[in-house]
Amino acid sequence: MRVIGGADRGRRLRSPRGLRTRPTADRVREALFDILGPAIDGMRVLDLFAGTGAVGIEALSRGAARAVFVERDRDALRALRANLAALGLSRERARVVAGDALAVLPVLVASEAPFDLIFLDPPYAGDVTPRVLAALASGPLLHPRTHLVVQHFSKVPPPLPAGLAPSRESRRFGETALTFLRRER
């Protein structure tokens, strides 16, 4: 796994052993940032369920101003912190918050809101996605222009809670899909 574009293009990223962490594939990240284009410049990014931090790191490499990484798995956190250190990313540009995504959201409201890009790559199994989307839809972490992107199993689209609507057509990459959402106006 490596950084695809920007200032850190080609730099390798560490990933924990085993199957508990599912890093976002290079081609999925490349497509995401091709879609976002130059808008990424200066953005404030929230990488929820960050794992290795590949998406947030890619955003920083391409000109995002700041990224906040939320992860609870110890091995993933170790890899994430090692990746940030290896790239020399300062705490002013890259903040790691260890903990459960739902529990951390209120903390972020007090210290970081709002974000320009929120990327969620939750576990494909389980019921966390609808709860996190509902919390985001009803909270101040989103502004009307926030890009909210959910990575998910392509055969199971994420539920749309009240307050969120598709902003563009979903993109499929084999068994992985990206769904683009926005706050309803």
Side-chain angles (χ1 to χ4, degrees):
M1 187 172 47
R2 60 190 171 84
V3 179
I4 303 298
D8 293 312
R9 180 182 184 168
R11 300 281 302 266
R12 295 233 174 256
L13 299 175
R14 291 180 57 182
S15 181
R17 296 182 193 269
L19 301 174
R20 287 194 335 223
T21 301
R22 179 184 28 80
T24 300
D26 289 358
R27 68 184 180 130
V28 176
R29 279 184 285 119
E30 185 170 22
L32 170 64
F33 288 100
D34 283 350
I35 290 167
L36 294 173
I40 195 69
D41 196 45
M43 279 188 171
R44 293 176 46 83
V45 177
L46 174 57
D47 189 350
L48 278 174
F49 308 95
T52 64
V55 171
I57 289 170
E58 188 76 37
L60 291 168
S61 177
R62 292 173 183 248
R66 179 164 170 79
V68 176
F69 302 87
V70 177
E71 178 56 57
R72 73 176 185 182
D73 181 81
R74 283 187 213 167
D75 293 334
L77 280 165
R78 218 174 348 268
L80 168 58
R81 288 182 173 121
N83 288 333
L84 295 174
L87 295 171
L89 291 166
S90 68
R91 291 180 191 247
E92 290 78 35
R93 290 197 65 213
R95 176 183 176 195
V96 176
V97 181
D100 177 77
L102 278 170
V104 166
L105 289 178
V107 173
L108 296 178
V109 167
S111 63
E112 295 283 348
F115 291 95
D116 304 302
L117 169 63
I118 299 176
F119 184 82
L120 283 79
D121 184 9
Y124 287 0
D127 66 344
V128 71
T129 303
R131 293 183 294 143
V132 170
L133 288 175
L136 288 170
S138 64
L141 291 175
L142 299 174
H143 57 69
R145 294 173 315 283
T146 297
H147 300 270
L148 177 57
V149 183
V150 183
Q151 181 175 319
H152 57 90
F153 182 57
S154 61
K155 295 180 182 175
V156 183
L160 290 181
L164 295 179
S167 62
R168 64 175 57 231
E169 194 168 317
S170 293
R171 298 282 306 269
R172 290 184 62 171
F173 309 89
E175 292 189 349
T176 298
L178 295 178
T179 293
F180 298 83
L181 304 171
R182 63 171 171 75
R183 174 171 265 161
E184 287 184 315
R185 294 188 175 126

